[in-house]
Amino acid sequence: MRVAFIGLGVMGLPMARNLLRAGHTVIGFNRSREKIESLKSSGGLGAGSIREAVDGAEVVVTMLPDTPDVLAVHADDHGVLQSAAPKTLVIDMSTIRPDVTVDLHARATSAGLAFLDAPVSGGEQGAIDGSLSIMCGGSQEAFDAALPILEKVGTTIVRVGGPGSGQTVKAANQLLVAGTIQLVAEAMVFLDAHEVDLAPALAVLNGGLAGNAILTRKAKSMMDAEFSPGFRVDLHHKDLGIYREAARDQGVFSPLGAAVTELMAALRRTGGGSLDHSALLRQVDALSGRSRWSGR
Ligand code: NAD
C-alpha cells in the first residue's frame, strides 16, 4: 500500500521504517526536514507538504505530539481532511483529547474518509521492535482495513469501541502508568530509608500481588538513577491533563488521579520536563529530605 506518514519523531520514524520493511511505500512529512531525510535514507519517500504526502495515498497515518498539532495537520486548509481522496483510511496514532477525536471522526466521515483513532503504548523500544499495544476507536470496517498496517507496528491490537474510545483507553493507561510509577518510587524511598537492600526487595515484591510492569521494566534503571527518556515528563503531563479533563466531563471521582497529575506537573515545573517519567522517584527522594536519587 501507499502510506503517507506525518510526524516522524521518536515514535513515528521507527514505525514508518517498520512499514517500509514490510514492503509498503511510505511517503513521509514532518515539520523539521531532517526527519524526512532520515526516512529517505531508509528507503522511504519525502514530501514537501501535507498535500503532497497525502496525494495518491491509500492510508494516512499521523503520529504528532499533541491535540493542537493533530487539529492543524488534519483540519487546517490543505490539511489531511481537505487533501485526501474520498475513501482514504486515516489513522491518528497520536495521544490526544478524546472529545476532539470524536469531532475529527465526524469531519472525516463527512469528507468521505474512513477514520480510526489508534493511540499506542510501548514506548520508543516498542516502536522500534514493532511490538506496540494499539487501542483503536472507530467502526469495525475502519479497524479491519487498518489491521494490515497496524500489525506491522504492533502486536496487541484491539478495537475498544467507537470513535474516540481508543483515546479514552489511552487516557486510562496513562493514569495507571503514572500512578504506578509514583507508588513504586514511594516504596523505593521507603525501603532505602530503612536500609533494605533494594534489588532483592523489589524482586520479591514483583513476585506477589504488588507485581507490576514498572517493577519489571523500570526498577533497574530507577535504582541506577538513570532518568534519560524513554517517555518524557512533558508528554506524560500532557496526557494526565487529557485524563483529568475527560474524567471531569463525566463527573468521575479520581483523587489519586488528581494527586499524580499535580506531582507530574511539579516535576515538570522544577526542571524535569525532559526527563523520563520515572524521575518521579527523584522528586519523592528530594521531598523526603534525602539524596540517593535527587543528589545526582
Ligand atoms: P515527538 O515530538 O518525538 O515527534 C512528533 C513529530 O511530529 C516531530 O518530529 C515534529 O517535528 C512533528 N510535528 C509536529 N507538528 C507537526 C506538524 N504540524 N506538521 C508536521 N510534523 C509535525 O513525539 P513522539 O514521542 O514521537 O510522540 C508522538 C505521540 O505519541 C505523542 O502524542 C505521544 O504522547 C505519543 N506516545 C509517545 C510515546 C513515547 O515513548 N515517546 C509512547 C506512546 C505514545
Side-chain angles (χ1 to χ4, degrees):
M1 280 196 263
R2 189 177 171 89
V3 183
F5 206 112
I6 303 173
L8 299 168
V10 170
M11 299 293 285
L13 187 58
M15 291 164 72
R17 284 188 173 133
N18 282 332
L19 294 179
L20 279 172
R21 260 182 228 119
H24 296 293
T25 301
V26 181
I27 174 155
F29 177 70
N30 193 77
R31 197 166 43 192
S32 43
R33 291 284 318 176
E34 71 272 11
K35 303 283 177 59
I36 303 177
E37 295 308 317
S38 302
L39 182 70
K40 282 163 77 177
S41 66
S42 306
L45 302 171
S49 66
I50 295 171
R51 182 179 278 267
E52 193 188 323
V54 165
D55 188 33
E58 296 150 89
V59 180
V60 178
V61 179
T62 51
M63 192 52 166
L64 299 155
D66 200 354
T67 306
D69 311 304
V70 172
L71 266 178
V73 164
H74 285 263
D76 275 4
D77 281 350
H78 310 299
V80 172
L81 299 186
Q82 224 181 54
S83 309
K87 297 204 166 61
T88 305
L89 170 63
V90 180
I91 312 172
D92 179 36
M93 304 191 75
S94 331
T95 301
I96 66 162
R97 282 170 43 184
D99 56 336
V100 171
T101 298
V102 170
D103 184 48
L104 277 175
H105 268 265
R107 291 162 78 166
T109 306
S110 355
L113 310 171
F115 195 93
L116 197 71
D117 52 296
V120 308
S121 174
E124 183 182 10
Q125 199 56 48
I128 293 167
D129 298 341
S131 64
L132 296 167
S133 251
I134 312 179
M135 310 144 216
C136 303
S139 69
Q140 188 65 48
E141 295 90 301
F143 177 73
D144 292 343
L147 258 185
I149 294 292
L150 299 180
E151 281 169 351
K152 301 295 180 278
V153 296
T155 43
T156 306
I157 305 158
V158 181
R159 177 177 173 263
V160 292
S165 54
Q167 295 295 355
T168 305
V169 173
K170 174 69 186 180
N173 183 80
Q174 295 308 78
L175 166 72
L176 286 168
V177 171
T180 308
I181 293 174
Q182 176 65 22
L183 285 176
V184 167
E186 291 182 22
M188 286 174 74
V189 174
F190 168 77
L191 291 167
D192 187 55
H194 285 279
E195 296 177 7
V196 173
D197 192 356
L198 275 181
L202 297 181
V204 72
L205 287 173
N206 203 24
L209 192 55
N212 62 72
I214 302 303
L215 280 176
T216 303
R217 297 202 209 157
K218 285 196 166 282
K220 170 87 176 61
S221 58
M222 289 171 78
M223 277 189 283
D224 295 345
E226 171 49 66
F227 298 127
S228 59
F231 189 68
R232 276 183 288 124
V233 166
D234 279 338
L235 285 175
H236 213 143
H237 170 73
K238 167 203 64 140
D239 293 348
L240 289 169
I242 292 169
Y243 165 73
R244 290 289 297 151
E245 204 164 323
R248 199 180 47 195
D249 275 356
Q250 295 297 323
V252 173
F253 178 62
S254 182
L256 296 184
V260 80
T261 301
E262 285 300 316
L263 290 162
M264 196 70 75
L267 179 55
R268 182 169 180 262
R269 270 197 305 274
T270 53
S274 56
L275 298 176
D276 187 69
H277 50 178
S278 59
L280 283 169
L281 173 61
R282 212 172 76 164
Q283 180 165 261
V284 176
D285 193 48
L287 291 174
S288 305
R290 304 178 61 79
S291 60
R292 170 163 175 173
W293 289 282
S294 51
R296 303 183 188 198

